[in-house]
């Protein structure tokens, strides 16, 4: 039995899927399957049950999962204790929403790699709702998240910034400044899917107004949203940084009143001490984006 076999087993249990676990680990699916078979052979026990939709541990697998997580956590702590203080090693698993417009992951990770070449980096893009769950369950180390940001007890959110919401329309539309008339409840909206920070903010803003809105077109990226608004397929409620993107040039935007703000934060596990690699990332981020230790 090797530590990598335990890491592979834990990843499969957490992802409940071989393909997703292999992507997370950065190995081939065939290599992951071989690793699990080797572990089952060494322990002379079936550890996983497979269905067409998910993979989950057997009763024996549940026992091993708890012990494997404890062993891996202890191993990571020991590795940190013997690591040279001037050289960061290990792994960093970072989650982020795409197209945030305030904090961009690519230049941050480039600088991080320049400073800490011995750290293995795993980047995952997802909606804030999913990212908060991943951080809370320890499946990723840290995440850049955005939205109304009401975190639970398993996640600690450190403030980075916040921005107002804007109503975005095609160039030939005219919307009164400073108010969202009830007539906008009759508009068709373009928006991201629920769980993305901007969508959750827009939903909350209209709930504050007591206005129901119809989201006719749901997309997975900001650039498609902007293109649809430009073509008059609907209007959108977006964070102000979206209106500054080159793709939004020529579109009309007015501020949405009310208490709802689009917040950007760094999400960390609520109780666990961050790894050395994670602390190095937080330090780097703080050099370009002041981080407020007070929580949202």
């Amino acid at each position: 039995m090797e530590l990598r076999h335990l890491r592979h087993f834990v990843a499969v249990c957490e992802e409940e899927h071989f393909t997703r676990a292999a992507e997370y680990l950065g190995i081939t699916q065939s290599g992951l399957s071989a690793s699990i078979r080797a572990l089952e052979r060494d322990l002379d026990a079936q550890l996983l049950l497979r269905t067409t939709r998910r993979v989950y541990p057997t009763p024996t697998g549940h026992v091993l999962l708890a012990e494997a997580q404890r062993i891996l956590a202890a191993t990571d702590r020991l590795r940190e204790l013997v690591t040279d203080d001037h050289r960061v090693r290990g792994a960093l698993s970072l989650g982020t929403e795409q197209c945030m417009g305030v904090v961009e992951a690519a230049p941050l990770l480039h600088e991080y790699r320049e400073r800490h070449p011995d750290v293995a980096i795993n980047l995952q893009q997802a909606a804030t709702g999913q990212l908060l769950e991943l951080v809370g369950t320890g499946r990723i180390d840290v995440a850049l998240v955005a939205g109304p940001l009401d975190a639970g007890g398993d996640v600690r959110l450190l403030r980075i910034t916040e921005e107002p919401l804007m109503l975005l329309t095609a160039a030939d539309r005219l919307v009164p400044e400073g108010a969202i008339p009830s007539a906008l409840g009759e508009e068709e909206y373009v928006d991201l899917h629920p769980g993305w920070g901007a969508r959750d903010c827009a939903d909350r803003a209209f709930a504050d107004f007591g206005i129901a809105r119809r989201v006719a077109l749901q997309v997975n990226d900001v650039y498609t949203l902007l293109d649809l608004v430009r073509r008059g397929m609907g209007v959108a409620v977006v964070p102000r940084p979206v209106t500054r993107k080159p793709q939004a040039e020529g579109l009309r935007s007015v501020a949405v009143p009310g208490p709802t703000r689009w917040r950007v934060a760094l999400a960390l596990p609520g109780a666990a001490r961050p790894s050395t690699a994670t602390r190095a990332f937080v330090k780097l981020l703080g050099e370009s984006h002041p981080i407020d230790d007070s929580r949202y």
Side-chain angles (χ1 to χ4, degrees):
M1 184 192 311
E2 300 180 20
L3 281 176
R4 65 184 177 90
H5 293 154
L6 295 180
R7 291 192 186 278
H8 295 171
F9 171 70
V10 169
V12 172
C13 290
E14 291 178 342
E15 295 292 338
E16 297 185 344
H17 198 278
F18 268 86
T19 301
R20 290 197 297 268
E23 291 174 352
Y24 170 77
L25 293 165
I27 63 176
T28 64
Q29 186 171 338
S30 60
L32 177 59
S33 297
S35 179
I36 298 299
R37 287 196 300 271
L39 183 60
E40 290 181 323
R41 185 168 57 250
D42 287 344
L43 296 176
D44 191 25
Q46 182 180 3
L47 302 174
L48 296 170
L49 295 174
R50 301 160 176 81
T51 69
T52 55
R53 294 187 176 182
R54 60 186 287 256
V55 179
Y56 55 95
T58 64
T60 302
H62 274 292
V63 174
L64 176 63
L65 177 60
E67 287 301 308
Q69 290 171 326
R70 181 185 62 79
I71 290 169
L72 292 173
T75 301
D76 290 341
R77 287 194 297 270
L78 285 173
R79 184 177 289 111
E80 288 186 15
L81 289 174
V82 300
T83 296
D84 183 345
D85 290 340
H86 301 290
R87 197 157 183 91
V88 179
R89 298 181 175 86
L92 174 71
S93 180
L94 169 68
T96 181
E97 279 213 1
Q98 60 172 317
C99 306
M100 295 184 73
V102 173
V103 183
E104 298 296 343
L108 271 174
L109 291 180
H110 179 265
E111 178 63 23
Y112 187 90
R113 171 59 57 79
E114 291 292 312
R115 296 188 187 186
H116 310 298
D118 294 329
V119 177
I121 298 173
N122 180 277
L123 175 65
Q124 180 171 347
Q125 287 188 333
T128 281
Q130 182 181 356
L131 292 174
L132 291 174
E133 179 183 353
L134 292 174
V135 172
T137 56
R139 294 161 70 182
I140 59 176
D141 300 313
V142 62
L144 295 164
V145 295
L149 296 184
D150 302 316
D154 294 334
V155 177
R156 182 164 56 109
L157 292 175
L158 304 183
R159 296 171 183 256
I160 296 177
T161 189
E162 61 181 50
E163 295 274 357
L165 297 178
M166 309 292 289
L167 182 70
L168 194 64
T169 72
D172 58 354
R173 290 293 309 274
L174 183 62
V175 179
E177 184 78 34
I180 300 296
S182 58
L184 283 183
E186 301 172 4
E187 294 282 353
E188 289 191 345
Y189 285 82
V190 182
D191 214 328
L192 300 172
H193 289 274
W196 291 93
R199 170 63 183 270
D200 291 346
C201 281
D203 287 344
R204 180 169 296 186
F206 273 77
D208 291 340
F209 295 130
I211 300 174
R213 67 182 185 126
R214 178 172 178 263
V215 179
L217 301 169
Q218 298 185 92
V219 298
N220 285 321
D221 69 282
V222 168
Y223 300 117
T224 300
L225 180 147
L226 292 173
D227 190 31
L228 290 170
V229 171
R230 181 182 303 281
R231 296 172 186 274
M233 298 294 291
V235 301
V237 174
V238 299
R240 184 166 59 183
V242 173
T243 68
R244 299 170 179 155
K245 292 182 177 293
Q247 294 81 356
E249 185 176 354
L251 299 180
R252 290 181 179 271
S253 63
V254 296
V256 175
T260 300
R261 307 274 289 181
W262 183 73
R263 295 166 169 173
V264 179
L266 190 68
L268 294 162
R273 182 172 182 267
S275 67
T276 301
T278 301
R279 294 198 301 273
F281 176 80
V282 176
K283 179 182 178 182
L284 173 63
L285 176 64
E287 293 176 7
S288 56
H289 298 82
I291 300 173
D292 187 344
D293 287 340
S294 61
R295 301 188 184 190
Y296 275 121

